[in-house]
Amino acid sequence: MSLKLYNTLTRKIEEFTPLQQGKVGMYSCGPTVYSHPHIGNFRSFLVADLLKRFLEFKGLKVTHIMNITDVGHLVDDADEGADKLEEAAKKQKKDPLEIAKFYTESFLEASKLLNIKSPDKYPKATEHIKEMIDMIKILVDKGYAYVVGNNVYYDVTKFANYGQLSGNTLDDLNAGARIEVNQEKKNPQDFALWKHDTKHLQQWDSPWGKGFPGWHIECSAMSSKYLGAEFDIHTGGEDNIFPHHECEIAQSEAASGKKFVHYWLHTHFLLFDGEKMSKSKGNLYTIQELLDKGFKKNAIRYSLISSHYRQNYNFTFDGLKAAEQAIDKIQQCVLLLTDLRGNKKEGKIREQLQKLASNCLTEFENALSDDLNISKALAVCFDFIREVNKASDMNSAEAAVMLDTINKIDSVLGVLETIDKEVPDNIKELAEKRKTAKLGKYWKIADDVRAEIMALGWTIEDTPDGGCRFKRREET
Ligand SMILES: [Zn+2]
């Protein structure tokens, strides 16, 4: 089934056709690294990860770029207020780059814990100032931007399609605009591409004097550098639609003359216990805070991907507990199948079991192809597990097919315990012992050793190349 996605730009569910057959270029607005990212930020990053994994499941080659904003993102998302990085730097009496480094590491660590696949690149804004200046120059040359003193602004009235993504017309925006304090701008909605501020801690030379870039130009410059001026998918949170993504379109399309992005995907807000998340309510949980409360990392991931991305999701501790139970069900089934696969019972694969596995994968794919219908996809997964648990008389080949099916599903969900590289030596030794026993056809010894490995909290799976891999068993 072909993939259908809701495109914020057209406000319709559309069939996804990549620009280049078999390949997808995808850009996700990443974190502004001035504090630890919270679960609300991660919901959006996880939706991008889910989509990327699903595109790969469908056999597409994805090039994924996620930026790191380490300068220029002002407190109110537009042209007012302090730079978020700078504010944190002043508060903590540190250098902005130190702040950026510290919180970038925190973000990467949490991403790893949540089993988010690393994008092909995490470009940093401060390392792409040249590309931004080049794009601003083009915009000035083409008449879309104007220079006042040492500042450069984008003239929104020059871009006919301004408002196409958010639905905000300039008339509406102007009617609701606050009294403009910045007398330099020609129109209240014009936004800064390059800003001059002698007090700003991060400064670069430019044709317009020393200054720093606006937040919006960062994503336009970095996406075009790594994905080209025209690419397939752009993701972000719904709070990015305006002004950030609206401005990205205006900049990129004016500079290149091409259609910037073909499909825009926006993840809706996360609520906590039915309430909006905010600093003042103290419910902006970070991943580490949830781990400190005893929740498991894969349950956090499961919980954050388990509802449709275009619905607000109500995150609760009870939901996290339910997620743990759901993962446990899958994990128990994997253990059962791993055991069955290792048994000596041989034979052909019964037709009904082959069908069960192939139907499961087809239905799972169909569900996610329908604008990432995750609830349906999860229901398919648990129906399959229920049926597998009933068929405990499976032979080794049948168990292998079932296991493969669950692994394929988990290549998208990413919630099962991943292979642990830190396998203790005693487990490795036991594995060697088992291998020797199997080579000598001492099946009883091999089985006993497997049981010993399991009793120590590990499972062992044979790989087609004659090796084996280990998984740590979920503690119960
Ligand atoms: Zn962005």
Side-chain angles (χ1 to χ4, degrees):
M1 189 174 153
S2 58
L3 173 60
K4 292 194 175 71
L5 295 171
Y6 179 84
N7 189 352
T8 310
L9 188 65
T10 58
R11 294 162 188 83
K12 277 188 203 130
I13 290 189
E14 293 175 0
E15 188 167 323
F16 175 70
T17 315
L19 283 162
Q20 261 185 294
Q21 208 187 350
K23 289 183 181 167
V24 180
M26 176 165 146
Y27 186 89
S28 301
C29 283
T32 300
V33 283
Y34 71 108
S35 66
H36 294 293
H38 54 74
I39 45 174
N41 306 129
F42 272 108
R43 185 182 188 214
S44 169
F45 303 148
L46 278 164
V47 166
D49 183 62
L50 182 78
L51 174 62
K52 176 189 174 182
R53 284 166 174 264
F54 183 56
L55 291 164
E56 288 175 346
F57 175 95
K58 284 175 97 69
L60 293 148
K61 165 95 185 68
V62 183
T63 305
H64 185 209
I65 305 297
M66 181 183 272
N67 67 297
I68 303 274
T69 296
D70 51 3
V71 68
H73 190 171
L74 304 190
V75 169
D76 81 342
D77 277 8
D79 282 349
E80 287 169 45
D83 185 315
K84 291 184 177 188
L85 256 292
E86 189 146 301
E87 204 175 48
K90 280 179 182 160
K91 229 183 243 171
Q92 298 185 30
K93 296 194 172 56
K94 283 183 179 152
D95 182 78
L97 280 181
E98 245 180 289
I99 293 288
K101 189 169 180 282
F102 178 78
Y103 290 111
T104 301
E105 273 164 24
S106 156
F107 160 73
L108 294 176
E109 205 174 302
S111 300
K112 205 172 153 201
L113 285 168
L114 294 181
N115 201 16
I116 291 177
K117 279 190 157 189
S118 281
D120 295 84
K121 193 154 180 72
Y122 281 116
K124 289 179 189 150
T126 51
E127 291 173 1
H128 294 79
I129 302 294
K130 187 193 168 297
E131 286 82 352
M132 296 176 209
I133 290 174
D134 287 347
M135 193 176 256
I136 299 170
K137 272 196 226 159
I138 295 172
L139 291 171
V140 173
D141 287 349
K142 284 190 163 185
Y144 287 97
Y146 55 95
V147 182
V148 184
N150 300 103
N151 293 315
V152 187
Y153 297 99
Y154 189 100
D155 184 345
V156 291
T157 61
K158 296 277 167 66
F159 187 69
N161 285 332
Y162 193 79
Q164 60 180 331
L165 183 73
S166 60
N168 290 332
T169 63
L170 283 177
D171 284 346
D172 289 348
L173 286 170
N174 290 340
R178 283 167 286 184
I179 295 161
E180 187 54 60
V181 279
N182 186 345
Q183 299 295 332
E184 286 184 1
K185 290 186 188 176
K186 288 186 188 167
N187 316 289
Q189 301 308 323
D190 291 353
F191 56 91
L193 299 171
W194 189 261
K195 283 173 90 93
H196 175 69
D197 176 356
T198 48
K199 287 195 211 93
H200 200 271
L201 297 173
Q202 292 174 287
Q203 306 260 354
W204 290 267
D205 286 322
S206 82
W208 316 284
K210 271 194 182 308
F212 65 99
W215 174 38
H216 315 311
I217 195 75
E218 299 178 4
C219 287
S220 282
M222 294 191 281
S223 62
S224 81
K225 173 164 183 178
Y226 296 104
L227 296 169
E230 185 172 6
F231 59 92
D232 299 297
I233 302 174
H234 196 314
T235 76
E238 66 174 324
D239 52 331
N240 289 148
I241 298 174
F242 191 86
H244 188 49
H245 290 165
E246 193 71 69
C247 296
E248 277 188 43
I249 296 176
Q251 296 164 154
S252 295
E253 298 196 352
S256 74
K258 291 179 179 164
K259 188 180 173 75
F260 175 39
V261 169
H262 287 239
Y263 303 86
W264 286 89
L265 249 88
H266 292 101
T267 305
H268 284 218
F269 288 127
L270 190 70
L271 302 172
F272 185 85
D273 258 343
E275 290 197 73
K276 225 184 145 191
M277 297 199 309
S278 71
K279 233 180 216 162
S280 57
K281 285 189 178 125
N283 57 11
L284 282 176
Y285 286 100
T286 65
I287 304 307
Q288 193 55 51
E289 281 167 345
L290 293 175
L291 295 176
D292 291 345
K293 285 186 179 294
F295 294 108
K296 289 180 183 160
K297 56 187 182 178
N298 51 356
I300 303 170
R301 178 183 170 97
Y302 184 102
S303 181
L304 288 171
I305 60 168
S306 64
S307 74
H308 196 257
Y309 73 98
R310 282 194 293 116
Q311 283 167 355
N312 289 343
Y313 177 51
N314 189 21
F315 189 88
T316 62
F317 290 148
D318 283 343
L320 271 181
K321 283 178 203 147
E324 283 184 6
Q325 286 162 3
I327 296 168
D328 204 39
K329 263 188 209 164
I330 313 176
Q331 206 89 48
Q332 290 303 324
C333 185
V334 168
L335 285 179
L336 168 77
L337 290 169
T338 309
D339 256 5
L340 290 170
R341 195 173 74 165
N343 70 21
K344 296 179 294 292
K345 198 172 165 190
E346 285 177 13
K348 275 194 185 160
I349 299 162
R350 278 169 284 175
E351 206 189 316
Q352 85 260 28
L353 288 178
Q354 185 77 66
K355 228 176 176 177
L356 178 69
S358 61
N359 283 351
C360 167
L361 288 177
T362 309
E363 283 174 34
F364 180 79
E365 184 176 346
N366 287 350
L368 288 178
S369 294
D370 179 15
D371 192 30
L372 299 181
N373 187 341
I374 187 72
S375 315
K376 179 88 190 295
L378 289 172
V380 169
C381 171
F382 287 105
D383 283 347
F384 175 73
I385 282 168
R386 204 171 307 121
E387 291 307 312
V388 168
N389 287 338
K390 281 185 205 162
S392 55
D393 62 338
M394 267 182 256
N395 63 40
S396 169
E398 289 168 339
V401 171
M402 300 300 153
L403 209 48
D404 187 48
T405 306
I406 295 184
N407 283 333
K408 278 185 183 140
I409 287 177
D410 193 56
S411 71
V412 181
L413 301 181
V415 295
L416 292 180
E417 281 290 285
T418 43
I419 303 154
D420 200 323
K421 288 191 184 86
E422 309 293 314
V423 182
D425 285 340
N426 62 331
I427 301 292
K428 282 185 198 152
E429 276 163 31
L430 285 169
E432 274 307 307
K433 195 172 157 189
R434 176 170 166 266
K435 196 174 164 189
T436 315
K438 279 179 77 182
L439 283 171
K441 300 198 172 166
Y442 296 108
W443 303 117
K444 172 81 175 73
I445 297 176
D447 281 353
D448 288 349
V449 176
R450 166 193 286 276
E452 205 177 329
I453 291 172
M454 285 188 66
L456 289 167
W458 290 79
T459 61
I460 178 166
E461 277 177 32
D462 296 312
T463 52
D465 58 0
C468 62
R469 54 181 186 175
F470 304 91
K471 280 185 182 176
R472 199 193 286 277
R473 290 181 67 180
E474 275 286 299
E475 282 145 24
T476 46

